[in-house]
């Protein structure tokens, strides 16, 4: 704010924010030596600013604070004794995060999920709207597993650069909250047609030294769901769980130091699947796959926030994770009547996954609040060191086989983002450059009459370069919110294969594609909004999807990648409605997605063999349409609930593909359509002061899977939490009645199979966290 007579800045001008409705005082401040000011923590709504200064007439300025932009620039001007105009006025307001979130993002606090306290991030997602958690460590959003997972807003090898991985090995104790973004703007990477899950680590910003130390202990597999087939080693029972954690933070003046450390020890009955396979030629194979798993995960995240001055800040952080997995398993194969065992496969898998992530971020704040330049540099290294030993016992001989896999993933990202507040919104733009390099080596060591294929081993190298540019514009007034953006992405992928490989050759692809996003919100009233959005996204094959080496997790169902696999592109349209009232809210979304080049795994057999080879293929066109509903209600001061339902229909058009390994085999499928969905309920009862009990129930309807369907699933979780003077005490139980199991039916060329997996789902935990 300046004096019109001499253009000098006017310090100490009184600025008061008042409600438009009744002129009540809300917030106030004064201008600084440069004539500028900002007012923070302003909720969305209609207001006016009142300016008063000795020798100047009071001036009133209407102000609309929306929900899309945390900063607003109300323009510039001058003040004089006779006529006054506003100089640069900035009002900063941001809607607080909460379980209801915004219409473009839903935010959920880990602390509110009592039934899964002490578990993993994957388990904490079980009760979230639209999320389905699989036994294989995968999550689905609205029926699709093409989900991009971020950690503190960035992709890392800890959760995968393609499809998500590793969520079951991130302790929930380290996490502050989880964000679900179904329709991301152009500022996010274009991959992940189902949307984005952003996992935000804890970081305390209180002055001085503070922290929290915690311990969780648990017990799983309390009783046997299904007895073993005869002649194999016992399955795990009463498996112990331990999760000590430590969170520390020290803030003083312009420096903030933070540390988060977790150790997770979780033996589990990871798989206990019973399969009946039926072949068109009349053979029947009955088998069991029992996998006892011991997992230990150590994770450390630490860093420093350093405010150089009022306009410049640097954050440097690092994350280290070491995950050790030991699997001991048995796979007996019987005839139809279980009167003769044809084969026994016993295996030991020894795997070590090491992840190191470093990140440096620089932020420059211009004089205008909210006017920012952010520069980030991230590097991730992820090593997968896997050794696999198995004993192949047949009636006439015993073979001893093994293989070793070593894969090193190196990813470097450079990002530049620019944000400029406007009077009614903001503009943001930026660029990103990614370089990804993954050399992989597989060695096979076959024994007597081995089923291994040594000529399918060797080496392969994955090279990926992705530069991208984006621009995003946000506008908001009393009636409408508009967000429109465009991201341009160039991808150059090269997959170089060992020239001696018996089936596959080097391959790759390039593309330059636009990815537009549009979101329009109509404000029906202060508590009612209607939105419509469109975006285009891509799912690129991950390195493991095109990896050329056979994966012998199952002795007779063998997985292998496909270097000819190409990206799938998805167009999404969504309409949403949200209404709020004093004690709750209701949210609904109707959506439709169409995908070209659908990526799916196809299983085929070689004539004369019982081995099934499952290989990723582009199956053509598919669609996913559905409805998501969320209702949250505080019934009374002592009881509240949240219930949500997702109903969708998956459709896969007919297609024909050719699996090339181990010999060319053609597979043709007709059109498949199935309606599915889920219903979830979470109720919280405050039985007395500082004590809460939570009950969660979920039902998952039957759904489509590649070449078949998966059956319905149901479980109930319960938990209780007591807030003490210096900490929290909790106890909970997942799958309280031990009802959760996975049933599948799959049909391939010349075979079909029916399976039921009775893996470990019931776990009882008790834990305590203490504030330091």
């Amino acid at each position: 704010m300046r004096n019109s007579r001499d253009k000098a800045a006017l310090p100490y001008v009184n600025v008061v924010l008042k409600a438009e409705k009744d002129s009540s005082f809300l917030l106030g401040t004064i201008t600084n030596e440069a004539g500028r000011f900002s007012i923070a923590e302003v909720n969305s709504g209609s207001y006016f600013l009142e300016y008063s200064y000795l020798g100047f007439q009071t001036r009133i300025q209407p102000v609309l604070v929306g929900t899309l932009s945390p900063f607003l620039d109300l323009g510039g001007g001058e003040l004089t004794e006779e006529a006054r105009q506003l100089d640069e006025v900035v009002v900063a307001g941001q809607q607080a995060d909460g379980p209801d979130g915004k219409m473009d993002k839903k935010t959920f606090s880990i602390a509110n999920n009592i039934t899964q306290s002490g578990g993993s991030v994957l388990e904490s997602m079980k009760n979230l709207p639209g999320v389905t958690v699989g036994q294989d460590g995968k999550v689905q959003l609205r029926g699709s597993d093409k989900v991009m997972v971020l950690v503190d807003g960035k992709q890392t090898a800890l959760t995968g650069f393609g499809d998500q991985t590793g969520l079951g090995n991130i302790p929930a104790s380290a996490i502050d909250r989880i964000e679900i973004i179904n329709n991301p703007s152009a500022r996010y990477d274009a991959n992940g047609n189902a949307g984005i899950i952003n996992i935000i680590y804890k970081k305390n910003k209180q002055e001085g030294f503070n922290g929290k130390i915690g311990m969780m202990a648990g017990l799983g597999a309390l009783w046997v769901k299904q007895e073993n087939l005869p002649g194999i080693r016992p399955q795990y029972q009463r498996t112990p769980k331990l999760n000590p954690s430590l969170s520390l933070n020290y803030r003083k003046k312009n420096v903030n130091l933070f540390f988060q450390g977790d150790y997770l020890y979780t033996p589990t009955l990871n798989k206990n699947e019973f399969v009946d396979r039926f072949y068109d030629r009349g053979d029947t194979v009955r088998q069991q796959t029992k996998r006892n798993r011991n997992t230990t995960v150590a994770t450390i995240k630490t860093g420093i926030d350093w405010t150089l001055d009022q306009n410049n800040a640097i954050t440097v952080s690092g994350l280290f994770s070491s995950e050790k997995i030991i699997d001991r398993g048995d796979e007996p194969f019987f005839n139809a009547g279980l009167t003769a065992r044809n084969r026994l496969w016993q295996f030991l898998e020894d795997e070590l996954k090491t992840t190191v992530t470093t990140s440096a971020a620089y932020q420059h704040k211009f004089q205008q609040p909210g006017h920012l330049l952010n520069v980030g540099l991230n590097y991730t290294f992820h090593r997968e060191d896997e050794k696999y030993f198995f004993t192949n016992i047949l009636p006439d001989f015993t073979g001893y086989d093994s293989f070793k896999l070593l894969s090193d993933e190196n990813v470097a990202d450079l990002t530049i983002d620019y944000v400029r507040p406007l009077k009614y919104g903001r503009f943001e733009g930026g660029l990103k450059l990614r370089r990804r390099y993954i050399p992989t080596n597989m060695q096979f060591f076959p024994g007597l009459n081995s089923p291994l294929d040594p000529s399918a081993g060797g080496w392969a190298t994955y090279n990926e370069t992705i530069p991208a540019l984006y621009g995003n514009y946000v506008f908001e007034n009393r009636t409408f919110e508009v967000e429109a953006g465009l991201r341009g992405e160039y991808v150059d992928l090269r997959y170089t294969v060992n020239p001696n490989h018996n089936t596959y050759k080097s391959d790759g692809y390039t593309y330059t594609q636009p990815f537009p996003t549009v979101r329009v919100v109509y404000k029906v009233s202060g508590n009612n909004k209607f939105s419509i959005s469109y975006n285009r996204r891509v799912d690129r094959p991950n390195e493991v999807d095109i990896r050329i080496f056979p994966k012998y997790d199952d002795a007779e169902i063998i997985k292998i990648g496909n270097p000819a696999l190409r990206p799938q592109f998805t167009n999404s349209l969504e309409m949403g409605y949200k209404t709020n009232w004093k004690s709750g809210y209701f949210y609904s979304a109707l959506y439709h997605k169409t995908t070209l080049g659908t990526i799916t795994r196809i299983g085929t057999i070689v004539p004369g063999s019982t081995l099934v080879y499952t290989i990723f293929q582009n199956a053509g066109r598919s669609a996913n349409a559905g409805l998501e509903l969320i209702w949250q209600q505080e019934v009374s001061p002592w009881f509240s609930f949240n219930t949500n339902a997702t109903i969708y229909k998956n459709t896969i058009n007919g297609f024909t593909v050719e699996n090339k390994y181990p010999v060319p085999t053609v597979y043709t499928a007709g059109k498949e359509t199935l309606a599915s969905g889920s219903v979830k309920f979470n109720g919280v009862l405050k039985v007395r002061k500082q004590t809460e009990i939570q009950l969660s129930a979920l039902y998952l309807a039957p759904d489509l899977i590649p070449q078949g369907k998966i059956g319905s699933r149901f479980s109930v979780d319960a938990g209780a939490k007591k807030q003490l003077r210096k900490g929290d005490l909790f106890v909970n139980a997942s799958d309280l009645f031990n009802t959760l199991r996975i049933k599948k039916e799959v049909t391939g060329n010349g075979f079909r199979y029916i399976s039921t997996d009775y893996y470990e789902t019931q776990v009882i935990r008790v834990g305590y966290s203490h504030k330091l």
Side-chain angles (χ1 to χ4, degrees):
M1 194 172 294
R2 296 172 300 183
N3 189 322
S4 63
R5 178 174 52 83
D6 57 8
K7 311 301 180 184
L10 291 177
Y12 312 118
V13 174
N14 290 304
V15 184
V16 176
L17 183 72
K18 295 185 176 182
E20 182 185 66
K21 183 178 180 180
D22 55 9
S23 299
S24 59
F25 171 85
L26 298 175
L27 296 167
T29 187
I30 60 174
T31 59
N32 61 18
E33 289 78 0
R36 297 177 180 272
F37 74 92
S38 66
I39 298 179
E41 305 300 331
V42 180
N43 294 327
S44 60
S46 297
Y47 308 91
F48 62 81
L49 286 169
E50 183 179 278
Y51 307 88
S52 60
Y53 193 61
L54 184 63
F56 293 80
Q57 186 177 354
T58 299
R59 176 69 180 269
I60 293 175
Q61 169 80 9
V63 175
L64 171 69
V65 177
T67 60
L68 298 183
S69 182
F71 293 92
L72 299 177
D73 180 359
L74 302 183
E78 298 175 342
L79 289 178
T80 68
E81 289 84 349
E82 301 299 330
R84 287 158 297 198
Q85 290 179 309
L86 288 175
D87 186 19
E88 203 157 326
V89 179
V90 180
V91 177
Q94 189 169 9
Q95 182 176 333
D97 283 337
D100 53 342
K102 302 177 183 178
M103 293 190 75
D104 65 333
K105 179 174 67 176
K106 299 185 284 289
T107 305
F108 302 91
S109 170
I110 290 293
N112 294 332
N113 196 348
I114 303 172
T115 60
Q116 295 301 328
S117 295
S120 68
V121 168
L122 185 70
E123 293 165 323
S124 296
M125 293 180 181
K126 284 176 56 178
N127 302 322
L128 302 188
V131 177
T132 304
V133 175
Q135 161 257 357
D136 56 357
K138 289 280 189 179
V139 298
Q140 292 183 334
L141 279 178
R142 297 174 172 176
S144 172
D145 64 355
K146 304 303 181 185
V147 183
M148 180 168 67
V149 178
L150 308 179
V151 175
D152 291 334
K154 297 181 288 291
Q155 282 184 281
T156 74
L158 194 65
T159 54
F161 286 93
D163 300 339
Q164 38 79 24
T165 59
L167 297 176
N169 297 317
I170 300 178
S173 58
I175 305 304
D176 178 41
R177 62 190 186 275
I178 296 173
E179 297 175 342
I180 297 177
I181 308 170
N182 291 111
N183 294 284
S185 70
R187 66 183 294 265
Y188 292 98
D189 286 351
N191 57 305
N193 81 66
I196 293 172
I197 293 176
N198 187 21
I199 300 168
I200 300 175
Y201 268 75
K202 292 177 179 177
K203 186 194 291 188
N204 202 320
K205 294 186 177 181
Q206 296 178 0
E207 193 71 19
F209 176 81
N210 51 81
K212 184 178 286 188
I213 185 169
M215 170 60 81
M216 181 282 299
L219 205 62
L222 301 182
W223 65 72
V224 175
K225 285 186 182 181
Q226 181 69 23
E227 295 288 347
N228 287 338
L229 293 181
I232 68 171
R233 295 171 292 185
Q235 57 186 263
Y236 269 0
Q237 288 184 257
R238 293 178 291 279
T239 54
K241 323 288 182 186
L242 289 174
N243 175 210
S245 62
L246 176 65
S247 176
L248 300 174
N249 208 91
Y250 178 75
R251 173 181 288 272
K252 187 170 184 181
K253 295 183 179 179
N254 62 338
V255 174
N256 180 54
L257 300 170
F258 54 91
F259 172 88
Q260 177 71 42
D262 290 86
Y263 179 79
L264 191 63
Y265 173 69
T266 57
T268 57
L269 179 58
N270 178 259
K271 193 170 188 176
N272 193 26
E273 185 177 29
F274 293 77
V275 179
D276 291 341
R277 276 184 282 143
F278 307 96
Y279 294 86
D280 292 354
R281 62 175 178 265
D283 296 344
T284 298
V285 176
R286 301 186 65 182
Q287 73 176 83
Q288 177 189 358
T289 302
K290 183 220 66 188
R291 185 162 61 216
N292 293 333
R293 171 168 291 183
N294 285 59
T295 304
T296 55
V297 185
T299 305
I300 294 174
K301 189 176 190 295
T302 186
I304 180 172
D305 301 319
W306 182 19
T307 303
L308 304 177
D309 53 44
Q310 62 180 359
N311 298 111
N312 298 280
I314 294 175
T315 296
V316 178
S317 63
L319 183 146
F320 172 82
S321 175
S322 178
E323 176 188 354
K324 180 70 171 180
I325 299 174
I326 299 291
D327 284 340
R328 294 178 176 87
D330 297 78
E331 283 189 340
F333 299 85
F334 285 84
N335 63 358
L338 293 178
T339 57
R341 191 181 73 188
N342 303 321
R343 182 184 188 187
L344 174 62
W345 171 292
Q346 293 184 321
F347 60 87
L348 168 65
E349 184 174 7
D350 184 346
E351 185 173 8
L352 178 63
K353 297 180 180 179
T354 305
T355 304
V356 178
T357 297
T358 59
S359 176
Y362 165 75
Q363 183 179 82
H364 174 72
K365 297 180 180 179
F366 295 88
Q367 287 189 338
Q368 175 195 13
H371 189 185
L372 303 173
L373 175 67
N374 294 297
V375 180
L377 182 62
N378 306 297
Y379 171 75
T380 291
F381 171 80
H382 177 75
R383 168 165 286 184
E384 181 182 350
D385 187 353
E386 180 181 355
K387 296 181 285 292
Y388 197 104
F389 309 90
F390 57 87
T391 304
N392 189 23
I393 304 171
L394 281 89
D396 299 329
F397 70 91
T398 297
Y400 299 92
D401 305 85
S402 64
F403 63 76
K404 176 178 174 59
L405 173 70
L406 184 65
S407 175
D408 287 341
E409 184 169 15
N410 301 268
V411 186
D413 287 334
L414 171 65
T415 57
I416 300 176
D417 296 289
Y418 173 79
V419 182
R420 175 70 162 86
L422 306 173
K423 186 174 182 179
Y424 296 106
R426 71 181 184 276
F427 169 79
E428 55 189 8
L431 63 87
K432 181 173 183 178
L433 176 62
R434 167 167 292 168
R435 183 76 177 91
R436 193 167 174 220
Y437 171 70
I438 311 174
T440 305
N441 187 277
M442 172 72 87
Q443 300 178 60
F444 290 111
F445 304 96
L448 181 65
N449 297 324
S450 174
L452 296 181
D453 183 3
S455 59
W459 58 266
T461 303
Y462 180 101
N463 278 283
E464 183 183 64
T465 303
I466 308 177
L469 293 170
Y470 82 91
N472 205 49
Y473 172 69
V474 173
F475 170 81
E476 183 173 15
N477 61 21
R478 291 176 182 267
T479 307
F480 288 100
E481 299 173 1
V482 179
E483 184 172 8
L486 179 66
R487 188 177 189 91
E489 182 181 84
Y490 169 77
V491 172
D492 182 5
L493 186 141
R494 295 286 178 265
Y495 191 64
T496 307
V497 173
N498 170 22
N500 297 324
H501 194 278
N502 59 8
T503 301
Y504 292 121
K505 305 300 178 186
S506 298
D507 211 326
Y509 59 85
T510 63
Y511 69 74
T512 302
Q513 292 280 343
F515 297 96
T517 61
V518 180
R519 187 171 69 92
V520 179
V521 177
Y522 173 61
K523 303 175 185 178
V524 182
S525 65
N527 294 324
N528 295 272
K529 289 183 177 182
F530 174 80
S531 71
I532 185 168
S533 62
Y534 163 80
N535 66 39
R536 182 174 188 262
R537 301 186 69 78
V538 63
D539 294 286
R540 297 182 295 271
N542 201 13
E543 187 269 336
V544 295
D545 300 338
I546 66 176
R547 187 179 288 177
I548 61 172
F549 312 120
K551 179 76 171 176
Y552 293 88
D553 281 345
D554 187 302
E556 297 192 0
I557 302 178
I558 300 168
K559 297 183 293 186
I560 190 168
N562 177 10
L565 200 62
R566 295 296 183 259
Q568 65 175 28
F569 294 90
T570 301
N571 291 280
S572 303
L573 184 66
E574 179 168 328
M575 293 183 291
Y577 173 73
K578 181 182 176 185
T579 180
N580 294 281
W581 54 91
K582 184 177 180 181
S583 57
Y585 72 89
F586 175 78
Y587 167 85
S588 62
L590 184 68
Y591 61 90
H592 185 276
K593 300 174 184 286
T594 302
T595 300
L596 299 178
T598 304
I599 297 175
T600 188
R601 189 180 282 279
I602 300 298
T604 58
I605 61 171
V606 176
S609 171
T610 61
L611 299 183
V612 178
Y613 296 89
T614 64
I615 301 174
F616 276 112
Q617 296 282 1
N618 293 107
R621 186 184 181 93
S622 65
N624 173 269
L627 174 67
E628 181 178 284
L629 304 170
I630 305 175
W631 177 23
Q632 180 167 301
Q633 181 68 51
E634 182 181 342
V635 180
S636 69
W638 51 269
F639 178 68
S640 63
F641 71 85
N642 175 293
T643 185
N644 61 84
T646 305
I647 305 167
Y648 56 85
K649 184 173 74 171
N650 280 328
T651 302
I652 302 177
N653 288 0
F655 62 91
T656 298
V657 295
E658 182 184 53
N659 280 358
K660 292 186 176 181
Y661 184 87
V663 296
T665 306
V666 175
Y667 175 78
T668 299
K671 182 178 180 179
E672 291 184 278
T673 299
L674 184 68
S676 184
S678 63
V679 179
K680 303 178 183 181
F681 174 85
N682 296 286
V684 177
L685 180 67
K686 297 181 180 179
V687 294
R688 58 175 60 187
K689 191 175 182 180
Q690 309 300 324
T691 302
E692 295 181 350
I693 296 175
Q694 184 179 41
L695 183 72
S696 301
L698 69 87
Y699 169 78
L700 305 176
D703 202 357
L704 283 181
I705 58 175
Q707 297 177 277
K709 67 178 182 179
I710 186 171
S712 62
R713 289 147 285 169
F714 173 75
S715 69
V716 175
D717 303 337
K721 181 173 71 173
K722 168 85 174 164
Q723 293 183 357
L724 306 175
R725 187 175 66 87
K726 292 286 288 183
D728 295 326
L729 178 67
F730 72 85
V731 60
N732 59 40
S734 61
D735 194 13
L736 190 63
F737 303 111
N738 215 21
T739 56
L740 191 59
R741 59 206 62 185
I742 296 179
K743 298 181 179 180
K744 297 178 183 178
E745 295 182 17
V746 171
T747 301
N749 65 329
F751 76 97
R752 67 182 180 91
Y753 72 76
I754 301 171
S755 71
T756 304
D757 195 344
Y758 300 91
Y759 69 105
E760 176 184 318
T761 56
Q762 188 182 61
V763 180
I764 295 177
R765 304 182 187 91
V766 61
Y768 174 72
S769 61
H770 182 79
K771 296 178 182 178
L772 302 176

